[in-house]
Amino acid sequence: AQTVTQSQPEMSVQEAETVTLSCTYDTSENNYYLFWYKQPPSRQMILVIRQEAYKQQNATENRFSVNFQKAAKSFSLKISDSQLGDTAMYFCAFGSGSARQLTFGSGTQLTVLP
Amino acid sequence: DAGVTQSPTHLIKTRGQQVTLRCSPISGHKSVSWYQQVLGQGPQFIFQYYEKEERGRGNFPDRFSARQFPNYSSELNVNALLLGDSALYLCASSSLVAGGPVIYNEQFFGPGTRLTVL
C-alpha cells in the first residue's frame, strides 16, 4: 500500500515571495504519478501540477514547480511570486497505473499574507 | 463544457438513516471515482467505476455502495448512517489517456456534497 506524508499542517508566506511545501511518499511500485492539488474554501479540488515518475525532469507550470527526488521519495512544490489567490489547502497525491486511485496526504494549509 | 456536477450540495441526516449522493461526470468520461474527505484530512478513496463495473474499492464497510448508470452518472449510497460518516463526499471523473509506460489517469473533481449526520 502507498502512503503519502505532508509534515507541514500550516504555512504562511508574504505576497510575492516564494514558498515550498513538502511531501514524502512510500511505494514499492516503479511506475507512478505524483500530483499536487489545491482546494480553496470553495471546496473544488483543482490539479496544480503533475509529475510522471519515469521523467527525470521536474515539472513546471507557470509559477508552480516541483522538486522530484525519486530515490528519496520526495516531491515538494515550490510556489514563486505568491499571490493572495494561492491561499488554499494543498494536497500531495500519489497515483499508480495499477491501482487507478489516488492516495492523498493530509494537506498543508497555505496562507498568503498581504 | 460543464465540469463534474454533484447533488445535493449539502445534506443533513440523522443516525441510522440512508443517503444517496449523485454525480454526473464530464461529457465523454467513462470513469467515476468517489472519495470521502473528513474535515481536516485528505480525501480517502471509496470506489471507482468504469463502464458501469466496479474497478476498485477502498477500505470502507459494506454500508457503502455505489453504481454507475448507462449514461456514466453515478450514485453513492450509505446505509445506517453513523456520526463518523459526516464528511465532504467528492466525485471525480476521468478519461483514460494512454501515454508512457503507465496509463495516465487525471481525475477531475466535482465540488462535493457536504453530509452532516446528527
Side-chain angles (χ1 to χ4, degrees):
Chain A
Q2 293 82 22
T3 60
V4 178
T5 302
Q6 294 179 250
S7 59
Q8 306 154 314
E10 298 181 2
M11 293 191 72
S12 62
V13 62
Q14 292 294 137
E15 195 174 6
E17 296 196 341
T18 295
V19 64
T20 298
L21 309 183
S22 302
C23 172
T24 58
Y25 60 94
D26 190 24
T27 183
S28 58
E29 300 196 28
N30 193 47
N31 296 318
Y32 51 87
Y33 292 85
L34 294 164
F35 307 86
W36 278 98
Y37 279 89
K38 167 185 178 181
Q39 188 178 40
S42 66
R43 310 180 325 201
Q44 188 91 38
M45 194 78 74
I46 302 165
L47 178 64
V48 174
I49 197 166
R50 73 174 186 270
Q51 173 78 43
E52 291 87 341
Y54 63 88
K55 290 186 177 179
Q56 292 186 343
Q57 186 174 6
N58 289 324
T60 299
E61 288 286 345
N62 301 314
R63 299 183 294 108
F64 300 88
S65 61
V66 299
N67 183 7
F68 174 48
Q69 302 289 329
K70 191 173 183 179
K73 295 181 180 175
S74 171
F75 182 60
S76 61
L77 173 70
K78 186 172 80 171
I79 305 174
S80 303
D81 186 25
S82 296
Q83 300 176 0
L84 295 177
D86 295 333
T87 293
M89 182 72 85
Y90 285 81
F91 291 97
C92 178
F94 174 100
S96 69
S98 60
R100 293 188 176 183
Q101 68 191 57
L102 294 174
T103 300
F104 287 85
S106 57
T108 296
Q109 175 63 50
L110 176 68
T111 301
V112 180
L113 304 170
Chain B
D1 288 340
V4 177
T5 59
Q6 293 186 244
S7 64
T9 304
H10 296 90
L11 204 51
I12 299 175
K13 293 286 188 178
T14 57
R15 282 178 297 175
Q17 285 189 311
Q18 175 265 342
V19 68
T20 299
L21 312 180
R22 295 176 176 82
C23 170
S24 292
I26 291 172
S27 177
H29 285 190
K30 299 180 179 180
S31 176
V32 169
S33 298
W34 288 95
Y35 292 82
Q36 180 196 64
Q37 185 178 15
V38 173
L39 190 63
Q41 298 181 19
Q44 281 199 297
F45 173 74
I46 309 175
F47 285 111
Q48 186 191 57
Y49 275 77
Y50 178 70
E51 287 283 13
K52 301 180 288 296
E53 291 187 5
E54 182 182 305
R55 297 300 182 99
R57 184 185 183 110
N59 188 24
F60 279 81
D62 292 343
R63 299 185 296 108
F64 289 76
S65 64
R67 56 180 175 169
Q68 186 177 33
F69 298 97
N71 66 353
Y72 303 110
S73 66
S74 177
E75 287 182 351
L76 175 70
N77 295 284
V78 187
N79 294 321
L81 285 167
L82 304 174
L83 296 179
D85 295 331
S86 294
L88 179 67
Y89 287 84
L90 297 169
C91 172
S93 77
S94 65
S95 174
L96 298 182
V97 178
V102 178
I103 295 176
Y104 173 52
N105 187 27
E106 179 173 352
Q107 301 198 23
F108 296 84
F109 285 83
T113 293
R114 171 73 66 189
L115 172 64
T116 301
V117 182
L118 302 176

